[in-house]
Amino acid sequence: MDGQSLERYDVTLIGGGPVGLFGAALAGLHGMKTKLIEALPHLGGQLYALYPEKWIYDVAGFPKVLAKDLVAQLVEQAMRYHPTICLEETVSDLEALPDGAWRLYTNRDVHETRTILITSGIGAFTPRKLPAANAERFEGTSIHYFVPPLKTFTDQRVVVVGGGDSALDWALALTDPAREVILVHRRDEFRGQQETLRQFSAHPKARIRVWTEVRDVAGTNRLEAVQLINHQTKETEWIEADAVVAALGFHSNLGPIKDWGLEFHGSSIVTNEAMQTSRPGIYAAGDVAYYPGKVKLIATGFGEIGNALGHIRGYLHPGHKGGLPHSTNLKVEREG
Ligand SMILES: Cc1cc2nc3c(=O)[nH]c(=O)nc-3n(C[C@H](O)[C@H](O)[C@H](O)COP(=O)(O)OP(=O)(O)OC[C@H]3O[C@@H](n4cnc5c(N)ncnc54)[C@H](O)[C@@H]3O)c2cc1C
């Protein structure tokens, strides 16, 4: 940096999954100047990227909740305290400043913060691309790796590619708005839940093509057709299609965070009972954090983030004893 001064935050969360979002709400509630940096264009982490239409049954206070609805509630809760949110920024480098604060470098910007709370889960996601000719021309418009709202597919002929849980979930969910759903898988066995496969197969709008891949896609202004190839017979065929949902999985990678001098256990960051990492002022919570006996659940992450922020509060204000006061005792704006 050239000495230019940056706005300094009390806490910067790296990752806007459920744990980072709840962290932003709690940090704001307890008066910390908060920033949250997320690599994806959307908040919600795995819930948004991997299973937005799945029901979750084990989050306190919700007998059952769709993943996308839980994300919406978490975003609303966080936004009450006006955190600074930076989307489509992947944190890569860390610099220690002489006064104990930190600089974080992303693909787009530089951020300054007194403490860091790593909530990066299983890492930044990149979707596995559809290995079909001309696919890039339609990515984001009619070839989807992150599925837009289901009503986008109303009356469409949709090709879903993949054989895992995501592909089966999407295929089944799309039978509602779509005119026809063609599930294409390069093997004849599906890794996803057999009950979902059974429900999909029984649906009148469903078609299944096994031993098959999408080889090419075509259209003028929008997608109009995809070419399928059967690996057993080597036959090719063009079929009409308005959209492709490629559910081929995601690469996830903690990337350069691995080089920050933190202690790791596999691909998780080792923390102590205060959720502090091996470097002062850097904490971790959620799926990325490890300690003996760790269980990777949303509920666990919500507890860990409260614990971490209690200790961050003590770190920022050495006069305070650790922990967080009960929210019922706080004089905060409760309306809205
Ligand atoms: C199919 C499926 C079903 C599940 N069902 C349940 C369930 O029913 N109940 C339950 O409790 N749990 C369930 N889980 C697990 C649950 O989703 C995770 O425990 C939870 O998402 C962890 O939240 P997190 O915020 O720690 O991490 P994540 O959700 O992984 O979010 C981390 C975020 O950090 C971002 N990020 C990563 N690296 C960077 C970086 N360098 N810079 C900027 N941003 C970065 C990522 O893009 C991501 O958005 C399920 C998981 C899957 C895959």
Side-chain angles (χ1 to χ4, degrees), residues 3-335:
Q4 168 197 352
S5 79
L6 293 167
E7 193 173 356
R8 186 174 280 194
Y9 284 74
D10 291 329
V11 58
T12 298
L13 295 129
I14 303 175
V19 178
L21 282 169
F22 187 47
L26 273 187
L29 172 68
H30 291 285
M32 299 176 210
K33 189 174 157 75
T34 307
K35 183 178 270 185
L36 186 153
I37 305 175
E38 167 56 50
L40 292 176
H42 299 274
L43 295 167
Q46 294 174 51
L47 284 69
Y48 174 80
L50 303 184
Y51 59 104
E53 301 288 339
K54 270 185 145 79
W55 290 105
I56 301 173
Y57 300 90
D58 55 357
V59 174
F62 291 93
K64 69 178 214 177
V65 59
L66 278 176
K68 67 177 182 188
D69 293 341
L70 180 61
V71 170
Q73 293 288 314
L74 286 163
V75 170
E76 183 183 330
Q77 190 178 22
M79 290 309 171
R80 293 191 68 187
Y81 308 100
H82 313 291
T84 298
I85 305 278
C86 308
L87 294 177
E88 292 185 83
E89 281 194 50
T90 305
V91 179
S92 53
D93 294 312
L94 173 75
E95 179 189 347
L97 298 176
D99 63 357
W102 302 95
R103 270 198 189 135
L104 290 168
Y105 294 81
T106 74
N107 50 324
R108 283 153 77 137
D109 217 335
V110 184
H111 306 269
E112 206 165 284
T113 185
R114 293 177 69 195
T115 64
I116 296 169
L117 185 37
I118 305 175
T119 49
S120 55
I122 51 176
F125 302 123
T126 332
R128 284 183 218 279
K129 296 293 178 90
L130 185 73
N134 299 308
E136 318 84 65
R137 280 184 55 210
F138 301 100
E139 281 173 5
T141 52
S142 38
I143 295 186
H144 304 280
Y145 298 107
F146 297 104
V147 181
L150 289 179
K151 62 177 189 300
T152 313
F153 300 94
T154 302
D155 238 11
Q156 292 194 351
R157 197 160 194 244
V158 187
V159 174
V160 177
V161 187
D165 270 324
S166 251
L168 293 180
D169 284 353
W170 286 122
L172 184 60
L174 283 162
T175 53
D176 184 21
R179 180 160 45 94
E180 190 176 10
V181 181
I182 302 115
L183 178 61
V184 171
H185 183 34
R186 65 193 166 115
R187 303 189 203 289
D188 69 340
E189 277 182 24
F190 289 84
R191 283 173 285 108
Q193 284 187 25
Q194 296 307 301
E195 174 54 20
T196 316
L197 178 61
R198 192 196 60 71
Q199 287 182 37
F200 177 72
S201 316
H203 199 285
K205 294 184 190 170
R207 309 277 174 272
I208 297 183
R209 304 288 292 264
V210 292
W211 299 116
T212 301
E213 276 185 71
V214 175
R215 191 162 88 161
D216 198 354
V217 295
T220 42
N221 296 324
R222 56 176 189 81
L223 183 73
E224 289 164 18
V226 304
Q227 187 188 41
L228 303 179
I229 176 161
N230 181 307
H231 287 302
Q232 285 198 317
T233 62
K234 306 293 173 212
E235 278 172 21
T236 59
E237 176 193 3
W238 282 96
I239 62 165
E240 275 178 43
D242 302 296
V244 174
V245 171
L248 300 168
F250 288 83
H251 302 281
S252 62
N253 190 351
L254 272 186
I257 294 179
K258 283 217 146 186
D259 304 324
W260 287 6
L262 305 171
E263 189 187 341
F264 272 81
H265 178 269
S267 53
S268 303
I269 298 170
V270 175
T271 65
N272 64 12
E273 65 285 354
M275 305 312 299
Q276 195 185 325
T277 70
S278 49
R279 298 193 74 173
I282 304 185
Y283 297 74
D287 274 14
V288 75
Y290 173 80
Y291 44 83
K294 165 83 183 201
V295 175
K296 290 187 183 182
L297 281 175
I298 298 164
T300 320
F302 286 172
E304 290 169 357
I305 199 92
N307 192 10
L309 283 162
H311 292 281
I312 286 175
R313 186 166 172 270
Y315 180 91
L316 291 170
H317 309 285
H320 284 178
K321 57 183 171 72
L324 295 173
H326 290 158
S327 67
T328 45
N329 291 334
L330 294 174
K331 290 187 178 61
V332 290
E333 178 54 64
R334 289 171 206 285
E335 305 306 318

